[in-house]
Amino acid sequence: SHHDLTVGNRFILDEIEICKKHPGRFKLYMTVFSRHCDFKEDIKIFEKYREHFVGFKLHPSYSGIMPDHSLNRPYLEYADAHGLLVLGHTWSGLETPYENVLKKYKNLKLIGGHCFYDNWRFTANLALNYENFYPELTAVLFKRGALEEMVSICGANKILFGCDMPWFSYTYYIGALLSAEITDQQREDILWNNGYVLLKDQVRDL
């Protein structure tokens, strides 16, 4: 939830209750709010309610801590050891610290939310060079031509659909994807197939 990005995991149990109430519909990232985290306590919750989690989320623009900072290390090591998803807020200017994470941790799966906005070529080349990096389209489809540029470099078989609700509209983003100059197979991969491949090992009821 948005609470997690400013106050850490204070409301995580409430979010878990939502997942319990709607089984198979919602899953959680545990936010790593860096300087205010308690790794041991967070992991107790993560492991106790493991069926509701798919991984962790980093948001350096809010936390003020770069992804490769030592404060994030125990979470990244845990994600790497268990092959978890790590959703990263990857905005322009964060290219080097996120590539440092990819260089060090080969088993976690880093989802690049926002695709280093406006740095589409770098994002696509990162997907080519690192097997465990997946570009994700939150905020991206707001800019016409960005998706086509990335697909022309890295293809569409690792790109994930997202809209950053409530900041952007699902209907607008679906429309932007449908009108993009890519193939129907590439649209299907972005909307479903690629996400399914990533989540099927994390979510038992898929």
Side-chain angles (χ1 to χ4, degrees):
S1 73
H2 284 98
H3 291 305
D4 296 353
L5 302 178
T6 53
V7 296
N9 293 316
R10 190 181 303 171
F11 297 96
I12 196 74
L13 296 180
D14 295 332
E15 294 157 9
I16 290 168
E17 287 304 311
I18 293 172
C19 291
K20 289 180 179 179
K21 187 176 179 179
H22 303 281
R25 185 172 182 186
F26 294 109
K27 300 295 177 182
L28 278 169
Y29 291 98
M30 175 175 276
T31 299
V32 180
F33 197 55
S34 302
R35 66 178 82 236
H36 301 292
C37 285
D38 184 327
F39 173 73
K40 292 182 179 179
E41 291 303 313
D42 283 346
I43 292 304
K44 283 181 184 177
I45 295 172
F46 191 94
E47 292 183 343
K48 181 176 180 179
Y49 300 102
R50 177 65 184 89
E51 69 270 25
H52 302 298
F53 288 102
V54 295
F56 302 110
K57 176 170 182 175
L58 301 177
H59 201 306
S61 295
Y62 276 3
S63 70
I65 301 296
M66 290 298 100
D68 56 350
H69 194 281
S70 59
L71 287 173
N72 294 328
R73 185 182 303 138
Y75 296 89
L76 294 174
E77 289 177 347
Y78 186 93
D80 196 59
H82 295 86
L84 300 177
L85 307 185
V86 175
L87 173 59
H89 172 84
T90 60
W91 205 256
S92 179
L94 296 169
E95 292 86 348
T96 297
Y98 271 114
E99 188 164 12
N100 288 341
V101 169
L102 288 166
K103 287 176 181 178
K104 186 171 183 179
Y105 303 102
K106 306 294 186 182
N107 196 44
L108 60 75
K109 299 169 181 67
L110 178 61
I111 298 173
H114 310 307
C115 296
F116 301 97
Y117 194 82
D118 255 348
N119 204 345
W120 319 124
R121 185 167 294 274
F122 174 84
T123 301
N125 282 315
L126 212 61
L128 280 177
N129 294 329
Y130 295 92
E131 185 178 345
N132 60 331
F133 177 73
Y134 301 83
E136 194 258 8
L137 297 177
T138 52
V140 175
L141 291 169
F142 185 72
K143 192 140 186 183
R144 300 294 289 180
L147 174 60
E148 289 90 336
E149 182 177 352
M150 289 192 292
V151 168
S152 73
I153 296 169
C154 68
N157 66 342
K158 294 176 74 180
I159 296 176
L160 304 169
F161 181 78
C163 78
D164 218 9
M165 183 73 177
W167 301 104
F168 299 97
S169 163
Y170 276 113
T171 52
Y172 173 84
Y173 267 47
I174 291 170
L177 185 63
L178 291 176
S179 63
E181 295 182 10
I182 59 176
T183 69
D184 285 344
Q185 181 59 60
Q186 289 171 329
R187 274 184 266 274
E188 182 180 327
D189 288 343
I190 292 168
L191 282 167
W192 175 259
N193 294 333
N194 301 340
Y196 176 80
V197 169
L198 272 182
L199 288 170
K200 67 179 182 179
D201 293 331
Q202 307 292 335
V203 180
R204 296 172 187 170
D205 47 11
L206 264 183

